[in-house]
Amino acid sequence: MVTTHSVPGAASPAATDDRGQEPGTDTALEARLRRLAGSVLDPELPVITLAELGVLRAVRLRGPGRVEVDLTPTYTGCPAVEAMSLDIERVLHAHGIPDVTVRSVLAPAWTTDDITDEGRRKLREFGIAPPRTQRPTSPVEIRLGPTRAADPSAAAPAPAALEPVTCPVCGSADTELLSRFSSTACKALRRCLACREPFDHFKEL
């Protein structure tokens, strides 16, 4: 929770969190515990860590031997969250922290843009096409229109163009979608039309 204090007529002081510290500032111990928690492997994609997946949001020391971890699920109801939480608790217990609480934090929402470049590289090497980056580099255009139209597709704005999904085996951009779902709900099944190999694609979210 972020708390602020305002006095009429006076400049607002900097926001602090409930530890009295500015958001984003970790103590040396918190930074070490964050690295440990972030080193846990994703249970569904065991080639990348939770830090590389971008779901680990904060690690706070709440008292001697008491730590609170903020974790943002990749989507609501993700079955991997429970396994992630148990693995974080196990790692921190093994490093002398007896009391570990893992909280699910839904805001800000996780997106595939939170996956690090290193995580994307590891996915590609594992044979999974990483999600394409969607983060806008310029102001986002918002179009207003009628709420009803004879042709619904005519009223819908055109989706932003994304780069093609490239094959993680041969690198060809000539690929096709076989199924919107694959081994997990967050992946689609595609096939390369150049080398003919099927592969998973981590869908953009």
Side-chain angles (χ1 to χ4, degrees):
M1 180 177 67
V2 175
T3 57
T4 59
H5 306 279
S6 61
V7 177
S12 298
T16 59
D17 63 16
D18 52 6
R19 302 167 300 165
Q21 295 180 222
E22 292 184 19
T25 57
D26 291 343
T27 64
L29 179 56
E30 287 173 328
R32 187 171 73 86
L33 295 175
R34 184 183 179 106
R35 285 193 295 274
L36 288 169
S39 69
V40 169
L41 294 175
D42 178 81
E44 291 183 337
L45 299 164
V47 293
I48 64 174
T49 66
L50 299 187
E52 291 163 345
L53 187 60
V55 297
L56 184 69
R57 292 293 166 82
V59 175
R60 299 184 185 88
L61 193 61
R62 293 302 190 187
R66 190 161 66 92
V67 167
E68 189 174 85
V69 178
D70 287 353
L71 193 67
T72 298
T74 55
Y75 61 92
T76 304
C78 174
V81 170
E82 184 175 349
M84 292 178 186
S85 300
L86 292 174
D87 286 345
I88 289 173
E89 291 176 11
R90 176 180 51 77
V91 167
L92 296 185
H93 287 330
H95 285 80
I97 305 297
D99 187 356
V100 179
T101 301
V102 180
R103 304 189 314 158
S104 286
V105 178
L106 302 181
W110 178 89
T111 81
T112 44
D113 285 350
D114 293 327
I115 300 176
T116 66
D117 291 342
E118 179 65 5
R120 292 167 189 273
R121 183 189 67 78
K122 289 182 177 179
L123 285 174
R124 195 176 295 109
E125 285 189 354
F126 192 60
I128 298 174
R132 294 161 291 186
T133 303
Q134 302 181 101
R135 183 175 295 123
T137 56
S138 59
V140 177
E141 180 183 356
I142 298 177
R143 297 180 180 178
L144 302 179
T147 56
R148 292 177 182 271
D151 179 4
S153 63
L162 290 173
E163 68 219 42
V165 177
T166 57
C167 173
V169 178
C170 71
S172 171
D174 191 11
T175 65
E176 66 175 357
L177 178 68
L178 295 180
S179 172
R180 293 177 61 83
F181 297 96
S182 183
S183 55
T184 62
C186 59
K187 296 198 288 289
L189 180 62
R190 300 186 70 92
R191 176 172 57 190
C192 177
L193 298 177
C195 69
R196 312 303 295 177
E197 288 290 333
F199 63 91
D200 279 342
H201 168 223
F202 199 126
K203 293 181 287 191
E204 293 78 24
L205 184 65

